[in-house]
Amino acid sequence: MSMVIALSCDMHYKRPQLVSDAKALFLKFARKELKDPETATERAFGTARRGVTRQSTRQYTNESCDQLGRMLKRELAR
């Protein structure tokens, strides 16, 4: 879910750092669970990217993007 929100925030508010952080967090957990985490991460983001449209980005505010950014930073720091 964070991937979709991050992509939406980037598309609507120009927040590429959220996409990078969401991808890094997904990869962090994929490394623990999967044999090929890089491929799984790219595949997951490709799927999420296809689901994000200009219209779907309007449901997230700049404030919700800020909250996501803080949560991603906190989780990556663990």
Side-chain angles (χ1 to χ4, degrees):
M1 184 63 167
S2 65
M3 286 186 253
V4 172
I5 298 170
L7 287 165
S8 296
C9 290
D10 182 36
M11 189 178 286
H12 193 68
Y13 298 109
K14 307 298 185 229
R15 307 277 296 267
Q17 188 59 45
L18 287 179
V19 176
S20 298
D21 290 347
K23 198 176 228 182
L25 185 62
F26 187 92
L27 185 59
K28 177 181 176 180
F29 288 106
R31 282 191 176 123
K32 294 177 184 177
E33 302 292 327
L34 304 171
K35 291 180 182 179
D36 191 2
E38 288 82 11
T39 301
T41 301
E42 291 303 320
R43 190 175 302 139
F45 265 86
T47 301
R49 189 171 288 119
R50 284 190 296 275
V52 175
T53 63
R54 282 265 177 222
Q55 200 161 37
S56 71
T57 64
R58 293 191 179 117
Q59 65 185 343
Y60 302 108
T61 64
N62 202 21
E63 183 179 314
S64 63
C65 294
D66 289 342
Q67 288 175 340
L68 175 65
R70 288 190 298 272
M71 186 274 302
L72 291 171
K73 292 285 187 201
R74 188 171 52 250
E75 291 299 318
L76 284 169
R78 287 184 175 193

